[in-house]
Amino acid sequence: MSERLGIENRGTKQANFHVLHGAQMPAVLVELGFVSNSKDDAKLRNSAVQRKMADAIYTSLVQYYQRRKDALAAQAGKSGR
């Protein structure tokens, strides 16, 4: 995603975020910028950048699920199922 959007990859972190408390399903919080940062704010207001961000999130999820599906299929193949 960082390559596609030309933004810095700040890594993956885990935390006990209030917005995710009580979620009854798997959840992911994606931070694409900070409105307190003027450069980020300008990008976040740009509709073309918003479309790129949405597309990058969608593509990332599709790729994740495809890798997961492939891994499960490989695991099933190893166990003889």
Side-chain angles (χ1 to χ4, degrees):
M1 185 182 298
S2 61
E3 290 174 19
R4 189 175 206 156
L5 297 174
I7 58 176
E8 177 186 352
N9 181 347
R10 295 182 179 124
T12 302
K13 302 184 179 48
Q14 292 186 6
N16 196 12
F17 289 109
H18 182 74
V19 295
L20 299 178
H21 280 261
Q24 299 297 313
M25 65 191 106
V28 176
L29 176 66
V30 180
E31 284 185 335
L32 297 169
F34 302 96
V35 294
S36 57
N37 177 306
S38 60
K39 288 181 182 178
D40 286 354
D41 185 56
K43 284 184 182 181
L44 293 168
R45 291 176 185 271
N46 182 310
S47 61
V49 173
Q50 291 171 6
R51 280 192 288 281
K52 282 184 181 181
M53 289 177 171
D55 182 57
I57 293 168
Y58 171 78
T59 301
S60 297
L61 289 170
V62 169
Q63 290 172 349
Y64 168 80
Y65 280 107
Q66 186 60 54
R67 285 192 308 267
R68 185 170 180 247
K69 180 180 169 184
D70 293 346
L72 289 172
Q75 185 178 28
K78 287 180 184 177
S79 66
R81 288 192 227 171

